Amino acid sequence: MSNLRITLLNSNNTLSIINFLAESVIETTLQVSPERASLPTLISIENIIGQINEKGYELASSDEINKIAGLINNYYLPNPVESWNDQHISVDANPILFEDIQHFSEIQKIRGSMIAAAHNVARFEVQQDYTSSKQVQDKAVISLARSVQASRSWWDRNKSKVLLFVGRTVLGVLIDSLIGIPLGRIVNSVLDGLLIV
């Protein structure tokens, strides 16, 4: 067991220190095809960002993602889990404003369903069951569309802000990599009445 400590900084002042087991956030079980090679990195980053969000903070900018990705790609993924030592990383962050809590709650819902879908897609592709993989991808689109449709007026008012916050994660990249359709296009299609589920 190894610990991962993340120090959240704002103007060089420590906002918070988050400690958790690296094994709980770093993706070690996913077997992927060459087309999905980035999934372990994306899921690991998104798991870490999820932990930061749950503590009431957001990354200050998308640049902070590169710091997290560097640690994952240069240390965790190339080395066997048994050899992991405790690690520490500092990232710039901001407290989540009270008026933005619901935005992050929506992002958290999307994050959970997309990570689960990524695991299923990868599992089916390893088994060369591409029909089931495609069904999981289609269900992921439907799930996203239904989530937006269920809160249509809220999404209509808050779409640009949610997508701005998604840009400080890798969730958009994960969705695009997983289903080949950007999140913004799915949201727009539902709000414009082009995608009805």
Side-chain angles (χ1 to χ4, degrees):
M1 298 280 188
S2 63
N3 293 311
L4 174 56
R5 187 174 80 221
I6 298 182
T7 300
L8 304 178
L9 301 173
N10 186 283
S11 301
N12 292 323
N13 295 317
T14 300
L15 291 173
S16 182
I17 297 173
I18 305 173
N19 291 294
F20 43 83
L21 290 176
E23 292 85 350
S24 70
V25 292
I26 305 300
E27 178 55 58
T28 59
T29 61
L30 202 61
Q31 296 180 26
V32 293
S33 63
E35 306 85 57
R36 307 273 183 214
S38 62
L39 279 182
T41 300
L42 292 173
I43 291 173
S44 298
I45 293 170
E46 205 53 47
N47 283 338
I48 291 170
I49 293 172
Q51 293 283 329
I52 293 169
N53 292 165
E54 285 179 20
K55 297 295 184 186
Y57 299 95
E58 60 164 325
L59 295 179
S61 73
S62 57
D63 294 338
E64 302 308 302
I65 294 169
N66 294 330
K67 292 180 188 176
I68 298 169
L71 179 62
I72 292 165
N73 289 330
N74 297 321
Y75 180 75
Y76 285 112
L77 294 183
N79 295 309
V81 176
E82 310 79 49
S83 69
W84 288 355
N85 294 314
D86 293 351
Q87 296 294 309
H88 173 254
I89 187 170
S90 297
V91 295
D92 291 329
N94 297 313
I96 294 174
L97 300 175
F98 179 77
E99 60 265 24
D100 295 329
I101 290 172
Q102 188 172 357
H103 301 104
F104 284 94
S105 176
E106 283 297 316
I107 290 169
Q108 186 66 16
K109 281 190 256 179
I110 295 170
R111 177 184 288 131
S113 65
M114 289 302 107
I115 288 174
H119 278 99
N120 288 330
V121 164
R123 180 171 47 88
F124 286 128
E125 287 186 357
V126 165
Q127 299 167 359
Q128 298 183 343
D129 183 353
Y130 300 109
T131 301
S132 295
S133 173
K134 180 70 171 112
Q135 288 172 345
V136 170
Q137 292 167 315
D138 291 345
K139 286 180 183 175
V141 173
I142 291 167
S143 172
L144 281 172
R146 283 186 177 151
S147 180
V148 173
Q149 207 164 354
S151 307
R152 185 185 184 93
S153 62
W154 183 87
W155 270 95
D156 199 35
R157 289 189 316 273
N158 295 282
K159 175 186 72 172
S160 60
K161 203 159 191 184
V162 173
L163 295 178
L164 173 72
F165 293 140
V166 166
R168 295 184 193 151
T169 73
V170 293
L171 189 55
V173 179
L174 177 61
I175 291 169
D176 203 4
S177 169
L178 182 65
I179 57 181
I181 305 171
L183 176 60
R185 187 179 304 161
I186 295 170
V187 171
N188 287 335
S189 295
V190 172
L191 295 179
D192 293 342
L194 301 173
L195 180 59
I196 300 169
V197 290

